[in-house]
PDB file of all heavy atoms in Angstrom:
ATOM      1  N   ASP X 854      74.573 128.971 144.157  1.00 51.00           N
ATOM      2  CA  ASP X 854      73.173 128.651 144.446  1.00 51.00           C
ATOM      3  C   ASP X 854      73.063 127.575 145.509  1.00 51.00           C
ATOM      4  O   ASP X 854      72.068 126.856 145.568  1.00 51.00           O
ATOM      5  CB  ASP X 854      72.450 128.153 143.171  1.00 51.00           C
ATOM      6  CG  ASP X 854      72.525 129.170 142.062  1.00 51.00           C
ATOM      7  OD1 ASP X 854      72.859 130.318 142.367  1.00 51.00           O
ATOM      8  OD2 ASP X 854      72.251 128.802 140.912  1.00 51.00           O
ATOM      9  N   SER X 855      74.124 127.397 146.262  1.00 45.00           N
ATOM     10  CA  SER X 855      74.084 126.583 147.479  1.00 45.00           C
ATOM     11  C   SER X 855      74.004 125.076 147.294  1.00 45.00           C
ATOM     12  O   SER X 855      73.549 124.373 148.169  1.00 45.00           O
ATOM     13  CB  SER X 855      72.927 127.002 148.385  1.00 45.00           C
ATOM     14  OG  SER X 855      71.733 126.338 148.013  1.00 45.00           O
ATOM     15  N   CYS X 856      74.439 124.558 146.161  1.00 43.00           N
ATOM     16  CA  CYS X 856      74.515 123.092 146.111  1.00 43.00           C
ATOM     17  C   CYS X 856      75.979 122.690 145.974  1.00 43.00           C
ATOM     18  O   CYS X 856      76.342 121.845 145.176  1.00 43.00           O
ATOM     19  CB  CYS X 856      73.656 122.502 145.009  1.00 43.00           C
ATOM     20  SG  CYS X 856      73.849 123.308 143.433  1.00 43.00           S
ATOM     21  N   ALA X 857      76.818 123.356 146.762  1.00 46.00           N
ATOM     22  CA  ALA X 857      78.260 123.186 146.630  1.00 46.00           C
ATOM     23  C   ALA X 857      78.705 121.734 146.781  1.00 46.00           C
ATOM     24  O   ALA X 857      79.590 121.284 146.066  1.00 46.00           O
ATOM     25  CB  ALA X 857      78.961 124.043 147.679  1.00 46.00           C
ATOM     26  N   ASP X 858      78.070 121.015 147.659  1.00 45.00           N
ATOM     27  CA  ASP X 858      78.535 119.665 147.940  1.00 45.00           C
ATOM     28  C   ASP X 858      78.414 118.754 146.729  1.00 45.00           C
ATOM     29  O   ASP X 858      79.270 117.923 146.468  1.00 45.00           O
ATOM     30  CB  ASP X 858      77.731 119.072 149.105  1.00 45.00           C
ATOM     31  CG  ASP X 858      78.468 119.326 150.406  1.00 45.00           C
ATOM     32  OD1 ASP X 858      79.551 119.923 150.330  1.00 45.00           O
ATOM     33  OD2 ASP X 858      77.947 118.934 151.461  1.00 45.00           O
ATOM     34  N   LEU X 859      77.324 118.934 146.001  1.00 41.00           N
ATOM     35  CA  LEU X 859      77.094 118.085 144.844  1.00 41.00           C
ATOM     36  C   LEU X 859      78.190 118.275 143.798  1.00 41.00           C
ATOM     37  O   LEU X 859      78.573 117.363 143.108  1.00 41.00           O
ATOM     38  CB  LEU X 859      75.750 118.456 144.206  1.00 41.00           C
ATOM     39  CG  LEU X 859      74.528 117.880 144.902  1.00 41.00           C
ATOM     40  CD1 LEU X 859      73.272 118.403 144.242  1.00 41.00           C
ATOM     41  CD2 LEU X 859      74.577 116.366 144.824  1.00 41.00           C
ATOM     42  N   LEU X 860      78.650 119.499 143.685  1.00 46.00           N
ATOM     43  CA  LEU X 860      79.573 119.832 142.598  1.00 46.00           C
ATOM     44  C   LEU X 860      81.006 119.766 143.044  1.00 46.00           C
ATOM     45  O   LEU X 860      81.897 120.181 142.335  1.00 46.00           O
ATOM     46  CB  LEU X 860      79.279 121.249 142.121  1.00 46.00           C
ATOM     47  CG  LEU X 860      77.866 121.418 141.620  1.00 46.00           C
ATOM     48  CD1 LEU X 860      77.500 122.871 141.601  1.00 46.00           C
ATOM     49  CD2 LEU X 860      77.744 120.808 140.254  1.00 46.00           C
ATOM     50  N   ASP X 861      81.200 119.244 144.226  1.00 56.00           N
ATOM     51  CA  ASP X 861      82.529 119.225 144.802  1.00 56.00           C
ATOM     52  C   ASP X 861      83.555 118.741 143.791  1.00 56.00           C
ATOM     53  O   ASP X 861      83.406 117.705 143.185  1.00 56.00           O
ATOM     54  CB  ASP X 861      82.518 118.263 145.999  1.00 56.00           C
ATOM     55  CG  ASP X 861      83.549 118.700 146.988  1.00 56.00           C
ATOM     56  OD1 ASP X 861      84.128 119.763 146.778  1.00 56.00           O
ATOM     57  OD2 ASP X 861      83.748 117.963 147.961  1.00 56.00           O
ATOM     58  N   GLY X 862      84.612 119.499 143.631  1.00 61.00           N
ATOM     59  CA  GLY X 862      85.692 119.039 142.781  1.00 61.00           C
ATOM     60  C   GLY X 862      85.558 119.439 141.336  1.00 61.00           C
ATOM     61  O   GLY X 862      86.533 119.482 140.603  1.00 61.00           O
ATOM     62  N   GLU X 863      84.346 119.730 140.917  1.00 69.00           N
ATOM     63  CA  GLU X 863      84.171 119.986 139.492  1.00 69.00           C
ATOM     64  C   GLU X 863      84.895 121.253 139.032  1.00 69.00           C
ATOM     65  O   GLU X 863      85.665 121.204 138.085  1.00 69.00           O
ATOM     66  CB  GLU X 863      82.691 120.019 139.168  1.00 69.00           C
ATOM     67  CG  GLU X 863      82.434 119.734 137.728  1.00 69.00           C
ATOM     68  CD  GLU X 863      80.951 119.686 137.468  1.00 69.00           C
ATOM     69  OE1 GLU X 863      80.217 119.106 138.282  1.00 69.00           O
ATOM     70  OE2 GLU X 863      80.544 120.257 136.463  1.00 69.00           O
ATOM     71  N   PRO X 864      84.648 122.407 139.706  1.00 80.00           N
ATOM     72  CA  PRO X 864      85.353 123.594 139.234  1.00 80.00           C
ATOM     73  C   PRO X 864      86.860 123.425 139.348  1.00 80.00           C
ATOM     74  O   PRO X 864      87.597 123.874 138.477  1.00 80.00           O
ATOM     75  CB  PRO X 864      84.864 124.718 140.138  1.00 80.00           C
ATOM     76  CG  PRO X 864      84.001 124.115 141.153  1.00 80.00           C
ATOM     77  CD  PRO X 864      83.764 122.694 140.837  1.00 80.00           C
ATOM     78  N   ALA X 865      87.303 122.749 140.381  1.00 84.00           N
ATOM     79  CA  ALA X 865      88.741 122.565 140.561  1.00 84.00           C
ATOM     80  C   ALA X 865      89.320 121.818 139.365  1.00 84.00           C
ATOM     81  O   ALA X 865      90.332 122.219 138.795  1.00 84.00           O
ATOM     82  CB  ALA X 865      89.002 121.798 141.846  1.00 84.00           C
ATOM     83  N   HIS X 866      88.658 120.738 138.981  1.00 84.00           N
ATOM     84  CA  HIS X 866      89.150 119.938 137.861  1.00 84.00           C
ATOM     85  C   HIS X 866      89.189 120.774 136.582  1.00 84.00           C
ATOM     86  O   HIS X 866      90.155 120.756 135.827  1.00 84.00           O
ATOM     87  CB  HIS X 866      88.272 118.711 137.684  1.00 84.00           C
ATOM     88  CG  HIS X 866      88.220 118.200 136.286  1.00 84.00           C
ATOM     89  ND1 HIS X 866      89.293 117.570 135.699  1.00 84.00           N
ATOM     90  CD2 HIS X 866      87.248 118.265 135.347  1.00 84.00           C
ATOM     91  CE1 HIS X 866      88.968 117.250 134.460  1.00 84.00           C
ATOM     92  NE2 HIS X 866      87.737 117.661 134.218  1.00 84.00           N
ATOM     93  N   HIS X 867      88.117 121.540 136.334  1.00 88.00           N
ATOM     94  CA  HIS X 867      88.064 122.336 135.102  1.00 88.00           C
ATOM     95  C   HIS X 867      89.116 123.436 135.108  1.00 88.00           C
ATOM     96  O   HIS X 867      89.767 123.677 134.093  1.00 88.00           O
ATOM     97  CB  HIS X 867      86.664 122.928 134.914  1.00 88.00           C
ATOM     98  CG  HIS X 867      85.656 121.898 134.493  1.00 88.00           C
ATOM     99  ND1 HIS X 867      85.822 121.102 133.380  1.00 88.00           N
ATOM    100  CD2 HIS X 867      84.475 121.512 135.031  1.00 88.00           C
ATOM    101  CE1 HIS X 867      84.802 120.283 133.255  1.00 88.00           C
ATOM    102  NE2 HIS X 867      83.963 120.502 134.253  1.00 88.00           N
ATOM    103  N   LEU X 868      89.289 124.090 136.242  1.00 89.00           N
ATOM    104  CA  LEU X 868      90.288 125.153 136.311  1.00 89.00           C
ATOM    105  C   LEU X 868      91.689 124.597 136.114  1.00 89.00           C
ATOM    106  O   LEU X 868      92.511 125.165 135.406  1.00 89.00           O
ATOM    107  CB  LEU X 868      90.192 125.866 137.670  1.00 89.00           C
ATOM    108  CG  LEU X 868      88.994 126.796 137.823  1.00 89.00           C
ATOM    109  CD1 LEU X 868      88.823 127.208 139.273  1.00 89.00           C
ATOM    110  CD2 LEU X 868      89.162 128.026 136.944  1.00 89.00           C
ATOM    111  N   GLU X 869      91.926 123.446 136.737  1.00 88.00           N
ATOM    112  CA  GLU X 869      93.245 122.844 136.618  1.00 88.00           C
ATOM    113  C   GLU X 869      93.534 122.479 135.157  1.00 88.00           C
ATOM    114  O   GLU X 869      94.611 122.755 134.632  1.00 88.00           O
ATOM    115  CB  GLU X 869      93.319 121.589 137.497  1.00 88.00           C
ATOM    116  CG  GLU X 869      94.684 120.962 137.519  1.00 88.00           C
ATOM    117  CD  GLU X 869      94.675 119.599 138.208  1.00 88.00           C
ATOM    118  OE1 GLU X 869      93.601 118.968 138.281  1.00 88.00           O
ATOM    119  OE2 GLU X 869      95.746 119.173 138.656  1.00 88.00           O
ATOM    120  N   SER X 870      92.537 121.870 134.496  1.00 89.00           N
ATOM    121  CA  SER X 870      92.734 121.489 133.098  1.00 89.00           C
ATOM    122  C   SER X 870      92.945 122.718 132.236  1.00 89.00           C
ATOM    123  O   SER X 870      93.818 122.727 131.358  1.00 89.00           O
ATOM    124  CB  SER X 870      91.521 120.711 132.584  1.00 89.00           C
ATOM    125  OG  SER X 870      91.238 119.643 133.425  1.00 89.00           O
ATOM    126  N   ALA X 871      92.145 123.766 132.471  1.00 91.00           N
ATOM    127  CA  ALA X 871      92.276 124.989 131.675  1.00 91.00           C
ATOM    128  C   ALA X 871      93.690 125.538 131.804  1.00 91.00           C
ATOM    129  O   ALA X 871      94.336 125.903 130.827  1.00 91.00           O
ATOM    130  CB  ALA X 871      91.256 126.024 132.127  1.00 91.00           C
ATOM    131  N   CYS X 872      94.173 125.554 133.044  1.00 90.00           N
ATOM    132  CA  CYS X 872      95.509 126.036 133.331  1.00 90.00           C
ATOM    133  C   CYS X 872      96.574 125.264 132.570  1.00 90.00           C
ATOM    134  O   CYS X 872      97.444 125.823 131.932  1.00 90.00           O
ATOM    135  CB  CYS X 872      95.765 125.758 134.797  1.00 90.00           C
ATOM    136  SG  CYS X 872      96.123 127.151 135.705  1.00 90.00           S
ATOM    137  N   ARG X 873      96.474 123.946 132.667  1.00 89.00           N
ATOM    138  CA  ARG X 873      97.490 123.096 132.056  1.00 89.00           C
ATOM    139  C   ARG X 873      97.489 123.276 130.532  1.00 89.00           C
ATOM    140  O   ARG X 873      98.530 123.469 129.907  1.00 89.00           O
ATOM    141  CB  ARG X 873      97.205 121.623 132.414  1.00 89.00           C
ATOM    142  CG  ARG X 873      98.168 120.642 131.798  1.00 89.00           C
ATOM    143  CD  ARG X 873      97.886 119.215 132.277  1.00 89.00           C
ATOM    144  NE  ARG X 873      96.469 118.855 132.239  1.00 89.00           N
ATOM    145  CZ  ARG X 873      95.834 118.496 131.135  1.00 89.00           C
ATOM    146  NH1 ARG X 873      96.469 118.445 129.987  1.00 89.00           N
ATOM    147  NH2 ARG X 873      94.553 118.182 131.168  1.00 89.00           N
ATOM    148  N   LEU X 874      96.286 123.272 129.946  1.00 91.00           N
ATOM    149  CA  LEU X 874      96.195 123.349 128.487  1.00 91.00           C
ATOM    150  C   LEU X 874      96.681 124.703 127.984  1.00 91.00           C
ATOM    151  O   LEU X 874      97.420 124.787 127.016  1.00 91.00           O
ATOM    152  CB  LEU X 874      94.741 123.102 128.060  1.00 91.00           C
ATOM    153  CG  LEU X 874      94.248 121.677 128.308  1.00 91.00           C
ATOM    154  CD1 LEU X 874      92.739 121.615 128.210  1.00 91.00           C
ATOM    155  CD2 LEU X 874      94.876 120.739 127.291  1.00 91.00           C
ATOM    156  N   LEU X 875      96.272 125.759 128.683  1.00 90.00           N
ATOM    157  CA  LEU X 875      96.658 127.098 128.256  1.00 90.00           C
ATOM    158  C   LEU X 875      98.173 127.245 128.373  1.00 90.00           C
ATOM    159  O   LEU X 875      98.829 127.832 127.503  1.00 90.00           O
ATOM    160  CB  LEU X 875      95.938 128.136 129.123  1.00 90.00           C
ATOM    161  CG  LEU X 875      95.919 129.560 128.577  1.00 90.00           C
ATOM    162  CD1 LEU X 875      95.288 129.589 127.203  1.00 90.00           C
ATOM    163  CD2 LEU X 875      95.142 130.484 129.520  1.00 90.00           C
ATOM    164  N   ASN X 876      98.709 126.680 129.411  1.00 88.00           N
ATOM    165  CA  ASN X 876     100.148 126.738 129.621  1.00 88.00           C
ATOM    166  C   ASN X 876     100.891 126.009 128.504  1.00 88.00           C
ATOM    167  O   ASN X 876     101.988 126.391 128.122  1.00 88.00           O
ATOM    168  CB  ASN X 876     100.478 126.105 130.971  1.00 88.00           C
ATOM    169  CG  ASN X 876     101.809 126.582 131.489  1.00 88.00           C
ATOM    170  OD1 ASN X 876     102.334 127.592 131.034  1.00 88.00           O
ATOM    171  ND2 ASN X 876     102.370 125.831 132.420  1.00 88.00           N
ATOM    172  N   GLU X 877     100.254 124.958 127.958  1.00 87.00           N
ATOM    173  CA  GLU X 877     100.914 124.201 126.899  1.00 87.00           C
ATOM    174  C   GLU X 877     100.872 124.937 125.562  1.00 87.00           C
ATOM    175  O   GLU X 877     101.825 124.905 124.802  1.00 87.00           O
ATOM    176  CB  GLU X 877     100.279 122.812 126.758  1.00 87.00           C
ATOM    177  CG  GLU X 877     100.751 121.853 127.835  1.00 87.00           C
ATOM    178  CD  GLU X 877      99.942 120.562 127.879  1.00 87.00           C
ATOM    179  OE1 GLU X 877      99.262 120.242 126.892  1.00 87.00           O
ATOM    180  OE2 GLU X 877      99.999 119.893 128.919  1.00 87.00           O
ATOM    181  N   VAL X 878      99.739 125.605 125.267  1.00 87.00           N
ATOM    182  CA  VAL X 878      99.651 126.252 123.951  1.00 87.00           C
ATOM    183  C   VAL X 878     100.043 127.733 123.968  1.00 87.00           C
ATOM    184  O   VAL X 878     100.549 128.240 122.987  1.00 87.00           O
ATOM    185  CB  VAL X 878      98.260 126.085 123.296  1.00 87.00           C
ATOM    186  CG1 VAL X 878      98.095 124.688 122.761  1.00 87.00           C
ATOM    187  CG2 VAL X 878      97.141 126.433 124.242  1.00 87.00           C
ATOM    188  N   HIS X 879      99.764 128.447 125.056  1.00 88.00           N
ATOM    189  CA  HIS X 879     100.137 129.868 125.129  1.00 88.00           C
ATOM    190  C   HIS X 879     100.775 130.146 126.477  1.00 88.00           C
ATOM    191  O   HIS X 879     100.171 130.754 127.345  1.00 88.00           O
ATOM    192  CB  HIS X 879      98.888 130.771 125.036  1.00 88.00           C
ATOM    193  CG  HIS X 879      98.172 130.686 123.748  1.00 88.00           C
ATOM    194  ND1 HIS X 879      98.757 130.978 122.543  1.00 88.00           N
ATOM    195  CD2 HIS X 879      96.894 130.341 123.455  1.00 88.00           C
ATOM    196  CE1 HIS X 879      97.882 130.802 121.569  1.00 88.00           C
ATOM    197  NE2 HIS X 879      96.747 130.414 122.089  1.00 88.00           N
ATOM    198  N   PRO X 880     102.028 129.736 126.664  1.00 86.00           N
ATOM    199  CA  PRO X 880     102.627 129.890 128.000  1.00 86.00           C
ATOM    200  C   PRO X 880     102.647 131.348 128.472  1.00 86.00           C
ATOM    201  O   PRO X 880     102.656 131.611 129.663  1.00 86.00           O
ATOM    202  CB  PRO X 880     104.049 129.371 127.819  1.00 86.00           C
ATOM    203  CG  PRO X 880     104.056 128.646 126.529  1.00 86.00           C
ATOM    204  CD  PRO X 880     102.943 129.157 125.694  1.00 86.00           C
ATOM    205  N   GLY X 881     102.623 132.291 127.535  1.00 86.00           N
ATOM    206  CA  GLY X 881     102.701 133.691 127.964  1.00 86.00           C
ATOM    207  C   GLY X 881     101.354 134.379 128.074  1.00 86.00           C
ATOM    208  O   GLY X 881     101.278 135.595 128.177  1.00 86.00           O
ATOM    209  N   ASP X 882     100.285 133.592 128.049  1.00 88.00           N
ATOM    210  CA  ASP X 882      98.956 134.193 128.032  1.00 88.00           C
ATOM    211  C   ASP X 882      98.728 135.063 129.272  1.00 88.00           C
ATOM    212  O   ASP X 882      98.982 134.621 130.398  1.00 88.00           O
ATOM    213  CB  ASP X 882      97.904 133.089 127.968  1.00 88.00           C
ATOM    214  CG  ASP X 882      96.543 133.624 127.597  1.00 88.00           C
ATOM    215  OD1 ASP X 882      95.931 134.355 128.415  1.00 88.00           O
ATOM    216  OD2 ASP X 882      96.092 133.322 126.483  1.00 88.00           O
ATOM    217  N   PRO X 883      98.244 136.302 129.086  1.00 89.00           N
ATOM    218  CA  PRO X 883      98.063 137.195 130.252  1.00 89.00           C
ATOM    219  C   PRO X 883      97.020 136.679 131.242  1.00 89.00           C
ATOM    220  O   PRO X 883      97.047 137.064 132.406  1.00 89.00           O
ATOM    221  CB  PRO X 883      97.626 138.515 129.615  1.00 89.00           C
ATOM    222  CG  PRO X 883      97.175 138.183 128.241  1.00 89.00           C
ATOM    223  CD  PRO X 883      97.944 136.977 127.814  1.00 89.00           C
TER     224      PRO X 883
END
Side-chain angles (χ1 to χ4, degrees):
Chain X
D854 303 345
S855 86
C856 47
D858 267 359
L859 280 176
L860 301 161
D861 208 6
E863 203 176 318
H866 152 71
H867 286 305
L868 286 168
E869 184 189 22
S870 307
C872 239
R873 178 176 46 79
L874 292 165
L875 196 57
N876 202 17
E877 282 169 19
V878 285
H879 296 301
D882 195 291

